[in-house]
Amino acid sequence: SANRITLLRDTDGDGVAETKSRFLQGRSSPFGIALVGNALYVADSDKLMRFPYLTGQMQIADPGTKVVDLPAGAINHHWTKNVIASPDGQMLYVTVGSNSNVGENGMAAEEGRATIWQVDPATGQHRIFASGLRNPNGMAWAPDGKLWTAVNERDEIGGDLVPDYMTSVQDGGFYGWPYSYYGQTIDKRVKPPRPDLVAKAIKPDYALGAHTASLGLTFSAVNALTPAYRSGAFIGQHGSWNRNPKSGYQVIYVPFNGATPAGPPQTVLTGFLSADGKQAFGRPVGVAINPSGDLLVADDVGNTVWRVSAR
């Protein structure tokens, strides 16, 4: 990792960044960021940090304040930690992926992991908001106020299992990992079994395909792209090594009817794979809607931020 955050600023509003600066350096594989008022929160691989920020600032030199330590250690299997703020800015939500595929490193190594944390930024106090989520990554608030996440599921039981998914997140909900998947489907590789946990595992809301490595998640906006894309969610699918033929490597749109996914996913941005499927020209990760209604896509192989507009 470059261990820094880069600031890209579109000063004239033409959809292309005119300035690029090293905004924040000396981090530990930073991934998630959230701006709440004049506080910038950064989710490093091992801790959640807060930095002072003023509008227009090009660089942060302040050493920052640690809000809370996050699970890490010598083995840090899913190291990306994402963070978003509640709509009122009073609480933060942090994703912490599992430390293994299906608990093969022992459940002691999974303490606090495969979860979404709720963190009080004022005190650092935290609790497990939801668990049994193998590798939650993208998070977003739906228009009805519910928290949703995109989750990468387990490997090594075939090219068509297990589907990654997006789901609304229930406070206190358990989503199966590692003992079961997609509700009560038991994973027999996990010993000892936990039928008590399997019995209460929540079935996710929407499957996104096996081994698509669905990472980024954002809900649409009233001015997003064309009217066909204004009631649903965009998902960045990074693509996975663990399938032949490959899946993912695209950005999709899931239409919603009110608060519920309604219909098959639609491809929005593709062309990241060579014609024979052997070479990745790019791999989408984060997705966001800018103030003009354009879709921004972070591509960590192309080293590019793409802008998709209605034109």
Side-chain angles (χ1 to χ4, degrees):
S1 174
N3 293 328
R4 68 170 181 263
I5 292 175
T6 299
L7 175 66
L8 304 170
R9 181 162 284 158
D10 175 14
T11 55
D12 60 8
D14 67 349
V16 178
E18 284 77 41
T19 64
K20 174 179 161 182
S21 60
R22 295 188 175 192
F23 184 64
L24 185 58
Q25 302 189 75
R27 308 304 334 129
S28 173
S29 297
F31 186 82
I33 57 175
L35 181 63
V36 182
N38 290 327
L40 182 72
Y41 294 94
V42 177
D44 282 349
S45 64
D46 56 357
K47 57 188 170 297
L48 179 65
M49 296 288 296
R50 178 175 57 244
F51 299 89
Y53 172 75
L54 296 176
T55 300
Q57 197 169 342
M58 297 294 289
Q59 186 178 37
I60 292 179
D62 190 287
T65 302
K66 182 173 71 174
V67 178
V68 66
D69 287 314
L70 300 174
I75 301 175
N76 197 12
H77 188 61
H78 291 118
W79 58 266
T80 55
K81 312 292 200 299
N82 196 11
V83 57
I84 65 171
S86 60
D88 62 6
Q90 297 300 304
M91 289 290 173
L92 300 174
Y93 294 81
V94 181
T95 63
V96 183
S98 69
N99 216 6
S100 62
N101 181 30
V102 283
E104 63 271 15
N105 295 323
M107 293 310 291
E110 306 296 345
E111 184 69 28
R113 305 190 70 126
T115 61
I116 293 176
W117 290 22
Q118 184 189 67
V119 180
D120 183 342
T123 65
Q125 293 184 347
H126 63 279
R127 67 181 181 94
I128 302 301
F129 184 77
S131 60
L133 300 157
R134 179 177 176 268
N135 186 24
N137 195 282
M139 287 187 293
W141 296 99
D144 66 354
K146 288 183 180 178
L147 179 66
W148 284 68
T149 187
V151 178
N152 295 175
E153 255 292 355
R154 65 204 72 196
D155 295 319
E156 299 175 356
I157 50 176
D160 296 322
L161 288 174
V162 171
D164 297 334
Y165 60 84
M166 61 181 290
T167 190
S168 56
V169 185
Q170 298 181 27
D171 190 354
F174 175 73
Y175 291 82
W177 188 90
Y179 305 102
S180 66
Y181 56 87
Y182 231 80
Q184 282 78 45
T185 305
I186 295 173
D187 191 329
K188 296 181 180 179
R189 296 173 296 176
V190 184
K191 305 294 182 183
R194 288 290 305 271
D196 56 322
L197 291 178
V198 171
K200 66 177 187 178
I202 299 170
K203 184 178 180 180
D205 289 289
Y206 193 90
L208 295 170
H211 310 299
T212 58
S214 297
L215 299 179
L217 170 67
T218 190
F219 279 91
S220 192
V222 294
N223 64 339
L225 301 180
T226 66
Y229 294 113
R230 291 177 184 170
S231 180
F234 295 95
I235 298 101
Q237 296 189 318
H238 194 239
S240 172
W241 58 272
N242 196 24
R243 190 175 192 274
N244 187 21
K246 290 181 170 62
S247 58
Y249 298 90
Q250 61 183 351
V251 177
I252 62 171
Y253 173 78
V254 176
F256 271 57
N257 182 4
T260 306
Q266 304 167 16
T267 300
V268 177
L269 186 62
T270 188
F272 291 102
L273 278 175
S274 61
D276 59 10
K278 295 181 179 180
Q279 182 180 359
F281 302 125
R283 300 183 76 177
V285 186
V287 288
I289 302 293
N290 74 4
S292 300
D294 304 327
L295 176 68
L296 303 180
V297 181
D299 167 5
D300 71 356
V301 166
N303 195 28
T304 300
V305 176
W306 301 95
R307 178 175 65 96
V308 183
S309 70
R311 293 191 300 276

